[in-house]
Amino acid sequence: MTDNFSSDLDRALGFTIPARHARGRIVRLGPVLDTILAAHAYPPAIEALLAEALTLTALIGSTLKDAGGQLTMQTQTDNGVVGLLVCDYRGGDLRGYVQFDADRLADAPEQPTLFALFGAGYLTITFDQAATGERYQGIVPLDGETLAHAAESYFVQSEQIPTLVRVGLSRDADGRHHAGGLFLQHLPEGEDGRERLHTRLDHPEWEHVALLGATMGADELADPALKLETLVWRLFNEEEEVRLLGDIMLAKGCRCSPDYIAQVIAKFPIDEQRAMAGDDGMITVDCAFCSSSFPLRVGADVTAP
């Protein structure tokens, strides 16, 4: 493999290491990240936070076997600078936004810590399985220096699966954002009659994989000139076998539309619709994810003007 692949962006690649009972996912974002961030004109600290969150969402969401399933990552804070952060993934589509206190952010350091942004906050990760209608949710404290550390804690505490997560962010001279992430897990042995993974005192196979994964630099993950297959090879080229799985192309995927918004508003009685309307008789609905506005006429069918 060579390192001169010029545009390996907006893509997720899965792989397994059979002899080590491990699986992994590696992603890189580019134009998708620029498009999502450009909709809000966030300050640099909030841009970096959302970029990391979107990368984690792509990493974890792309492990879903249910093509119609959804992964949602959300923070909950107690009087933090960041009041709300939400990202979700469905079928390769990503979206996300942040609500924050601009005045309090102005008083924070230029590169605020996770605690400075969230205080005593929590990270919630929710898996919605479309095929079965099942929902799985876990909540962990926003401990550590980064959201990636909090995501690791989620899998260790909620899933009891040894996990390593790494994220790298960069911005080139033209202002374009790049982000990359690495997700490694030790596969659990949870069948009846076999030893469950979390009851062991040590995991020598996992320790080897985690040590190799920890050598991956943030700059390598975010470098668009490095093909994802090249990064996997750099880490695990001495392993007996590494199986590459199918890749997933990633896209900006806000699901708002005039028809969808009209259907939602139409469920409200006419008197409540009138209460929502402005002096011009129009209901204006703003999408927090993409900053689009949808003006609608009050009426039984609620139509766009």
Side-chain angles (χ1 to χ4, degrees), residues 262-296:
Q263 291 172 15
V264 172
I265 298 300
K267 296 177 182 179
F268 291 88
I270 292 296
D271 58 339
E272 293 187 25
Q273 291 183 29
R274 292 194 180 108
M276 299 177 196
D279 295 337
D280 58 357
M282 301 293 294
I283 301 171
T284 300
V285 179
D286 297 322
C287 176
F289 285 99
C290 67
S291 296
S292 297
S293 293
F294 299 89
L296 304 168

Side-chain angles (χ1 to χ4, degrees), residues 188-202:
E189 295 178 359
E191 296 85 358
D192 291 341
R194 299 182 67 186
E195 177 188 26
R196 291 187 179 274
L197 181 65
H198 64 270
T199 65
R200 298 178 184 173
L201 296 179
D202 56 31

Side-chain angles (χ1 to χ4, degrees), residues 45 111 140 171 177 183 191-192 236 243 246 261 266 285:
Q111 296 182 325
V140 294
R171 191 171 187 180
H177 296 84
F183 177 78
E191 296 85 358
D192 291 341
F236 304 114
R243 297 176 185 171
I261 299 297
V285 179

Side-chain angles (χ1 to χ4, degrees), residues 49-294:
L49 179 69
L50 183 55
E52 182 184 9
L54 288 165
T55 305
L56 291 171
T57 302
L59 275 173
I60 302 170
S62 61
T63 66
L64 287 167
K65 295 181 180 179
D66 182 351
Q70 179 171 310
L71 179 284
T72 303
M73 190 167 70
Q74 179 175 330
T75 62
Q76 304 172 23
T77 64
D78 182 12
N79 197 34
V81 172
V82 175
L84 179 67
L85 181 152
V86 182
C87 295
D88 69 39
Y89 169 101
R90 188 170 72 181
D93 288 346
L94 288 170
R95 62 179 185 170
Y97 74 96
V98 183
Q99 293 179 353
F100 65 98
D101 187 321
D103 292 334
R104 293 180 60 191
L105 179 64
D107 294 332
E110 184 176 347
Q111 296 182 325
T113 64
L114 205 61
F115 182 79
L117 291 174
F118 291 101
Y122 294 87
L123 175 69
T124 302
I125 296 179
T126 306
F127 294 88
D128 289 292
Q129 306 290 343
T132 62
E134 294 178 294
R135 167 175 283 197
Y136 306 95
Q137 186 177 83
I139 302 175
V140 294
L142 277 169
D143 293 334
E145 297 180 1
T146 65
L147 286 175
H149 292 149
E152 282 185 357
S153 296
Y154 166 83
F155 286 100
V156 172
Q157 297 179 29
S158 297
E159 304 290 333
Q160 296 180 313
I161 300 175
T163 301
L164 181 140
V165 182
R166 293 288 183 270
V167 172
L169 308 174
S170 70
R171 191 171 187 180
D172 65 22
D174 296 322
R176 292 173 297 196
H177 296 84
H178 299 122
L182 174 67
F183 177 78
L184 293 173
Q185 281 191 323
H186 193 13
L187 297 175
E189 295 178 359
E191 296 85 358
D192 291 341
R194 299 182 67 186
E195 177 188 26
R196 291 187 179 274
L197 181 65
H198 64 270
T199 65
R200 298 178 184 173
L201 296 179
D202 56 31
H203 314 286
E205 293 171 342
W206 167 248
E207 290 167 4
H208 174 81
V209 172
L211 283 172
L212 291 178
T215 65
M216 178 61 65
D219 56 338
E220 295 174 283
L221 287 170
D223 187 348
L226 293 176
K227 194 174 181 181
L228 299 184
E229 286 86 348
T230 298
L231 297 183
V232 175
W233 182 85
R234 283 186 177 185
L235 288 175
F236 304 114
N237 64 85
E238 295 185 0
E239 294 301 311
E240 177 181 328
E241 179 185 14
V242 178
R243 297 176 185 171
L244 295 180
L245 309 178
D247 62 354
I248 297 173
M249 300 310 296
L250 304 170
K252 180 239 181 185
C254 195
R255 296 186 286 276
C256 66
S257 70
D259 289 342
Y260 174 76
I261 299 297
Q263 291 172 15
V264 172
I265 298 300
K267 296 177 182 179
F268 291 88
I270 292 296
D271 58 339
E272 293 187 25
Q273 291 183 29
R274 292 194 180 108
M276 299 177 196
D279 295 337
D280 58 357
M282 301 293 294
I283 301 171
T284 300
V285 179
D286 297 322
C287 176
F289 285 99
C290 67
S291 296
S292 297
S293 293
F294 299 89

